[in-house]
């Protein structure tokens, strides 16, 4: 699949916003980035490469942007993408001038990167590597997949964090004379904390480009990526654009994910209702809080937020309904074709509530891919992440037992 025009790009981002579990950056900001770089009649090509086509001959690297979620929407499109462009160039230079010269055997055949892969599926960390591949050119394509299957609050909740060395890594600021740093730390959890602290202190800008986990293509495809999530996002986006009811959209997306996706997974409708309360505050560079929905059955469903949605529970039940790495997603109750005012994530919900608008949504759960759930080290990282949101129980597979 190739992205060849602005319309296709925006369709993909609609689906990516849905799959992001409430986070991943707002659609309206990702849309602004696309509209800044491409006019509505311009044709271009950004190639999405099937992970199964990757071989030991290609070099791939994760490219992303990192900012405090509450601050990201204040940045300009150029300020958001430029740091990641710099990070890719700096990482390539670091490997060629330092790691190859030190005879690090991992990089004996390294010449350049052939493809970038997204850290997660979500509007911002999909649009950023796609735009970077377009700007940097040099034969760069984008791997059709990501390392989380949703958006995640911390770097250590990715497949590469439990399988790949921390070094080399690269963080850069914007600008022609950019600042950069690379850190030798014991694991990706420490690396994520260190980068978050640098961003919070403004030492490498309030938005930072990241390049992590360079590897051969065949290493990525074997257990390090959720395959086909960008294609999934595009097809889900086309469903959003259909002139059908929101209930029909749910049914079609559920059918697509179970029977047509490259990585089949289950999906369930949790509840429908009105958002009555939303609150977050920033602690240690993480946005923590909750969103509450008064359901049509007069129940209350509460979602705990840690940058993204990670825990969901009905207030009249003693057990949790859904936990990460399964995702908790939103679909507007609006019928007909969606525009940007109906592509819900937590930023848009907060914005509408602050403006006194009512928000009516369907809450949807999507089961994590097997490459995530069957990775014991990664699930252990998720169990640690729960505690940040003051949930001390285990992963809950209650929704999927009967599947």
């Amino acid at each position: 699949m190739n992205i060849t025009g602005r319309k296709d790009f925006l369709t993909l981002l609609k689906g990516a916003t849905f799959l992001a579990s409430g986070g991943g950056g707002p659609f309206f900001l990702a849309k602004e980035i696309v509209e800044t770089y491409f006019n509505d009649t311009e044709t271009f090509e950004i190639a999405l490469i099937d992970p199964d086509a990757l071989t030991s001959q290609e070099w791939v690297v994760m490219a992303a942007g990192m900012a405090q979620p509450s601050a990201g929407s204040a940045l300009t499109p150029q300020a958001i993408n430029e740091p990641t462009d710099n990070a890719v160039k700096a990482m390539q230079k670091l490997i060629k001038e330092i790691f190859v010269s030190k005879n690090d055997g991992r990089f004996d055949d390294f010449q350049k990167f052939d493809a970038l892969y997204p850290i997660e599926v979500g509007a911002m960390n999909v649009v950023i590597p796609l735009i970077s591949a377009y700007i940097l050119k040099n034969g760069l394509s984008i791997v059709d997949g990501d390392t989380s299957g949703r958006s995640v609050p911390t770097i250590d909740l990715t497949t590469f964090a439990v399988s790949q060395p921390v070094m080399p890594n690269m963080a850069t600021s914007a600008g022609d004379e950019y600042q950069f740093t690379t850190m030798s730390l014991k694991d990706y959890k420490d690396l994520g904390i260190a980068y978050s602290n640098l961003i919070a202190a403004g030492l490498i800008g309030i938005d930072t480009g990241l390049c992590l986990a360079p590897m051969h293509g065949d290493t990525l495809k074997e257990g390090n990526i959720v395959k086909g999530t960008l294609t999934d996002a595009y097809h889900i986006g086309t469903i959003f654009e259909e002139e059908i009811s929101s209930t029909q959209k749910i049914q079609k997306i559920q059918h697509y994910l179970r029977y047509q996706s490259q990585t089949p997974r289950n999906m369930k409708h949790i509840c429908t209702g009105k958002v009555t309360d939303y609150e977050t505050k920033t602690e240690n560079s993480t946005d923590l809080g909750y969103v509450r929905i008064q359901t049509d059955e007069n129940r209350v469903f509460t979602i705990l937020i840690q940058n993204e949605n990670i825990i969901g529970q009905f207030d009249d039940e003693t057990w949790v309904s859904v936990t990460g790495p399964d995702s908790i997603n939103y679909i507007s109750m609006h019928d007909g074709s969606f525009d940007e005012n109906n592509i819900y994530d937590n930023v848009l919900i907060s914005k509408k509530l602050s403006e006194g608008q009512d928000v009516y949504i369907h809450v949807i759960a999507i089961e994590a891919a097997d490459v995530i759930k069957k990775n014991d080290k990664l699930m252990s990282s998720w169990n640690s992440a729960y505690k940040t949101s003051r949930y001390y129980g285990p992963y809950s597979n209650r929704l999927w037992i009967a599947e």
Side-chain angles (χ1 to χ4, degrees):
M1 176 181 175
N2 293 340
I3 303 300
T4 58
R6 192 165 86 175
K7 182 181 184 302
D8 285 348
F9 211 144
L10 295 178
T11 297
L12 186 154
L13 293 179
K14 290 176 183 178
T17 305
F18 166 72
L19 291 170
S21 198
F27 172 80
F28 66 81
L29 182 55
K31 178 176 183 285
E32 183 180 349
I33 293 173
V34 173
E35 291 177 342
T36 297
Y37 285 97
F38 307 109
N39 64 49
D40 59 358
T41 60
E42 183 176 358
T43 59
F44 53 90
E45 183 172 86
I46 302 173
L48 304 185
I49 185 170
D50 185 337
D52 285 335
L54 293 170
T55 72
S56 61
Q57 304 303 308
E58 291 98 14
W59 275 97
V60 298
V61 70
M62 192 287 295
M66 185 175 181
Q68 291 187 28
S70 56
S73 59
L75 298 166
T76 66
Q78 290 86 352
I80 290 169
N81 233 90
E82 193 174 61
T84 304
D85 303 342
N86 289 340
V88 175
K89 292 183 289 187
M91 174 67 97
Q92 191 162 278
K93 185 175 181 180
L94 175 69
I95 293 173
K96 294 179 74 172
E97 296 186 1
I98 303 297
F99 283 82
V100 172
S101 65
K102 286 189 174 182
N103 297 316
D104 188 319
R106 290 178 296 161
F107 301 102
D108 284 347
D109 63 344
F110 182 83
Q111 296 295 322
K112 69 179 185 67
F113 292 122
D114 300 289
L116 311 179
Y117 62 89
I119 189 172
E120 60 187 15
V121 61
M124 290 304 295
N125 270 326
V126 166
V127 75
I128 288 172
L130 263 70
I131 294 288
S132 288
Y134 174 80
I135 290 173
L136 295 171
K137 301 190 186 300
N138 199 27
L140 276 174
S141 56
I142 296 292
V143 178
D144 184 6
D146 73 285
T147 64
S148 312
R150 47 163 286 166
S151 286
V152 292
T154 52
I155 294 171
D156 59 305
L157 298 177
T158 62
T159 54
F160 64 78
V162 296
S163 69
Q164 301 301 305
V166 174
M167 287 291 287
N169 58 79
M170 181 60 65
T172 56
S173 66
D176 292 335
E177 298 181 3
Y178 54 84
Q179 297 171 301
F180 70 92
T181 184
T182 184
M183 299 185 186
S184 180
L185 297 171
K186 70 174 184 177
D187 56 35
Y188 278 97
K189 183 174 183 178
D190 285 352
L191 185 69
I193 292 170
Y195 280 153
S196 293
N197 289 339
L198 286 173
I199 293 169
L203 296 178
I204 45 176
I206 61 172
D207 184 59
T208 300
L210 294 183
C211 239
L212 306 173
M215 65 183 91
H216 284 108
D218 59 340
T219 302
L220 181 68
K221 76 177 179 183
E222 297 300 331
N224 281 303
I225 196 158
V226 183
K227 298 175 180 178
T229 51
L230 301 189
T231 294
D232 290 347
Y234 177 79
H235 284 291
I236 290 169
T238 64
I239 293 171
F240 278 172
E241 292 168 348
E242 292 186 35
E243 293 288 340
I244 56 178
S245 70
S246 58
T247 300
Q248 290 173 300
K249 287 181 169 68
I250 293 170
Q251 293 168 346
K252 293 191 75 169
I253 294 170
Q254 183 179 43
H255 183 273
Y256 171 82
L257 287 175
R258 182 173 292 185
Y259 298 110
Q260 297 173 269
S261 171
Q262 187 174 358
T263 303
R265 49 212 187 274
N266 294 311
M267 169 177 146
K268 280 195 173 181
H269 178 261
I270 301 295
C271 64
T272 298
K274 178 182 178 181
V275 178
T276 58
D277 198 10
Y278 179 95
E279 182 177 323
T280 60
K281 60 181 179 180
T282 301
E283 295 183 10
N284 299 319
S285 301
T286 300
D287 286 356
L288 299 175
Y290 61 87
V291 56
R292 289 200 178 102
I293 299 98
Q294 183 77 34
T295 77
D296 290 352
E297 293 79 27
N298 203 30
R299 303 173 73 191
V300 175
F301 189 73
T302 299
I303 300 168
L304 299 184
I305 299 168
Q306 190 180 142
N307 292 349
E308 283 78 27
N309 300 334
I310 68 164
I311 307 288
Q313 180 177 12
F314 284 102
D315 286 11
D316 58 2
E317 294 179 346
T318 58
W319 57 87
V320 298
S321 300
V322 58
T323 60
D326 300 339
S327 57
I328 307 169
N329 312 296
Y330 307 128
I331 293 182
S332 169
M333 291 174 63
H334 174 85
D335 292 336
S337 178
F338 284 6
D339 61 23
E340 62 267 29
N341 293 315
N342 296 303
I343 308 299
Y344 279 115
D345 65 289
N346 287 331
V347 173
L348 183 58
I349 288 175
S350 175
K351 181 175 182 292
K352 285 201 170 190
L353 292 178
S354 69
E355 295 170 350
Q357 299 183 53
D358 291 334
V359 175
Y360 294 92
I361 55 173
H362 301 283
V363 179
I364 307 295
I366 299 177
E367 186 177 19
D370 282 349
V371 70
I372 303 293
K373 291 179 64 174
K374 293 183 177 180
N375 186 319
D376 292 340
K377 290 182 179 179
L378 190 48
M379 292 305 292
S380 177
S381 296
W382 271 103
N383 282 321
S384 297
Y386 301 153
K387 297 178 178 61
T388 303
S389 290
R390 296 170 179 81
Y391 169 66
Y392 300 96
Y395 165 75
S396 174
N397 66 346
R398 179 178 294 272
L399 282 178
W400 321 114
I401 291 174
E403 295 295 330

